[in-house]
Amino acid sequence: MKYYEVNFTIAPCSQDAQDILSALAGEAGFETFEETATGLKGYVQQVLFDENALKLALEGFPFENVTLSYSIQEAEDKDWNEQWEQEGFEPISLPLPPSKRKGNLIIHDGRHLPSDIDVQPSAIMIEIDAHLAFGTGTHETTRMICGMLLDMQLDGLRVLDCGCGTGILGICALKLGAASAVGYDIDEWSADNTRHNAVINRVDDRLTALCGDASVLAPFATTPDGSPSGFNLVMANINRNILLNDMERFRSVMAPKAQLILSGFYKNDCALLESKAQTLGLSLKATRTDGDWACLLFSLD
């Protein structure tokens, strides 16, 4: 995937100004940021970049005495996760709800084994080998969705993971009892990584990974009479703009009484996403936050 690197200059620069700028640029499709001495460095997919949308977003900057400027260049085409992949990540432990069974869900990278974590005999283990893909459980949004999955009854459900990255969410659902999962991602390496991790976790016979955007969902659309061919649970951990754009497609593949989990956005985006969901007949059932990030659970009543 090709990215633009946009260097934002803030004068005078402050932490508050950087935080607001990252939120505004996120509305224009930017996915990640690095703080610099004079502002921010932001990264956005070339195919999704809309400079007019960026300019409109920046018009809402609330500091009157601050000057903003930016320059755009093609980001270096490299393995952005290379150093992280070499270092890996420390194991993550999430407790299982007492109503289910005693134990914990442990996510690890195969190199950093959970020797310092209290591993219950009934622990559910997930190994994630990440290559150029998002989703290890270390990010707040991934942890929140996994936490929601732990609180749900997933036995026998058909699950969809939109923007699957490493495949962690689909794998987690399968480990918790889901019958089958389909994941898709716009990046071929993410689809490949999902297949790879499905094999590692011995769920490859129940997980299908597709390459493409939300248009790959067309064959899964439910029939007008609510055919049970739809998914019982849909998950999407993607940026706000893509969620707003694709939510109608998510709705089109949901079976009766299906649930939808959304994350990948900030708390101040919740009202906008809830409003969109309501127009599609989806009711908000739960909200979680972690720092500035949020996670929403909807149900198709």
Side-chain angles (χ1 to χ4, degrees), residues 4-10 30 38 40-44 49 51 54 58 68-75:
Y4 285 126
E5 177 182 291
V6 180
N7 286 287
F8 295 94
T9 300
I10 307 172
F30 282 73
T38 57
L40 286 178
K41 192 177 291 184
Y43 297 90
V44 59
F49 181 54
E51 190 170 3
L54 176 61
L58 296 184
L68 299 178
S69 60
Y70 63 85
S71 60
I72 305 170
Q73 64 183 27
E74 287 197 8

Side-chain angles (χ1 to χ4, degrees), residues 2 10 21 23 37 69-70 98 117 155 165 169 219 234-235 250 261 263 293:
K2 301 289 187 181
I10 307 172
L21 175 58
S69 60
Y70 63 85
I117 292 178
D155 290 348
L169 299 180
V234 177
M235 304 174 288
F250 301 161
I261 302 176
S263 195
W293 299 96

Side-chain angles (χ1 to χ4, degrees), residues 157-158 220-234 250-260 281-282 298-301:
L157 300 190
R158 299 185 69 222
F220 299 97
T222 53
T223 60
D225 62 354
S227 166
S229 62
F231 294 97
N232 309 111
L233 173 64
V234 177
F250 301 161
R251 168 64 179 83
S252 73
V253 297
M254 294 172 66
K257 300 189 181 300
Q259 293 181 299
L260 171 67
L282 294 161
F298 297 95
S299 177
L300 182 59
D301 297 328

Side-chain angles (χ1 to χ4, degrees), residues 12-285:
C13 186
S14 67
Q15 185 65 58
D16 287 343
Q18 288 174 320
D19 291 343
I20 292 172
L21 175 58
S22 64
L24 292 173
E27 296 179 3
F30 282 73
E31 297 178 9
T32 189
F33 300 91
E34 297 176 21
E35 292 185 358
T36 67
T38 57
L40 286 178
K41 192 177 291 184
Y43 297 90
V44 59
Q45 294 180 37
Q46 292 186 14
V47 295
L48 299 178
F49 181 54
D50 183 341
E51 190 170 3
N52 288 330
L54 176 61
K55 290 178 179 179
L56 286 173
L58 296 184
E59 287 178 1
F61 200 78
F63 293 175
E64 294 182 359
N65 298 321
V66 171
T67 301
L68 299 178
S69 60
Y70 63 85
S71 60
I72 305 170
Q73 64 183 27
E74 287 197 8
E76 183 181 354
D77 190 12
K78 65 178 182 179
D79 184 345
W80 294 100
N81 288 336
E82 182 177 3
Q83 182 177 355
W84 181 91
E85 290 170 6
Q86 292 173 353
E87 296 176 355
F89 63 94
E90 292 299 319
I92 299 156
S93 177
L94 300 172
L96 293 173
S99 59
K100 288 193 173 181
R101 63 179 182 179
K102 185 177 181 181
N104 45 358
L105 172 72
I106 297 176
I107 303 168
H108 64 94
D109 65 1
R111 287 165 289 176
H112 297 80
L113 298 177
S115 56
D116 296 329
I117 292 178
D118 180 21
V119 181
Q120 301 288 337
S122 59
I124 298 173
M125 308 290 288
I126 297 178
E127 180 178 339
I128 295 297
D129 183 15
H131 293 293
L132 279 170
F134 174 82
T136 62
T138 59
H139 196 274
E140 294 90 336
T141 57
T142 312
R143 288 201 306 269
M144 284 190 288
I145 295 179
C146 287
M148 279 195 171
L149 293 177
L150 288 171
D151 290 336
M152 300 171 71
Q153 179 55 254
L154 301 179
D155 290 348
L157 300 190
R158 299 185 69 222
V159 174
L160 173 66
D161 181 6
C162 310
C164 54
T166 63
I168 185 173
L169 299 180
I171 292 169
C172 182
L174 291 170
K175 292 267 189 171
L176 292 171
S180 63
V182 173
Y184 74 87
D185 202 291
I186 194 170
D187 299 320
E188 183 62 52
W189 56 74
S190 291
D192 287 342
N193 198 203
T194 290
R195 299 182 190 107
H196 172 69
N197 286 316
V199 171
I200 291 176
N201 289 278
R202 299 181 180 180
V203 295
D204 52 301
D205 59 332
R206 294 185 289 145
L207 194 158
T208 301
L210 307 173
C211 181
D213 59 18
S215 64
V216 303
L217 297 179
F220 299 97
T222 53
T223 60
D225 62 354
S227 166
S229 62
F231 294 97
N232 309 111
L233 173 64
V234 177
M235 304 174 288
N237 189 10
I238 320 175
N239 74 59
R240 188 202 72 174
N241 289 345
I242 295 178
L243 292 175
L244 290 171
N245 186 66
D246 292 350
M247 204 184 302
E248 190 168 351
R249 287 187 181 272
F250 301 161
R251 168 64 179 83
S252 73
V253 297
M254 294 172 66
K257 300 189 181 300
Q259 293 181 299
L260 171 67
I261 302 176
L262 301 179
S263 195
F265 48 87
Y266 297 109
K267 289 187 290 187
N268 56 9
D269 294 324
C270 288
L272 189 59
L273 289 159
E274 183 180 356
S275 177
K276 176 68 175 183
Q278 287 177 343
T279 67
L280 299 173
L282 294 161
S283 301
L284 181 65
K285 299 300 181 182

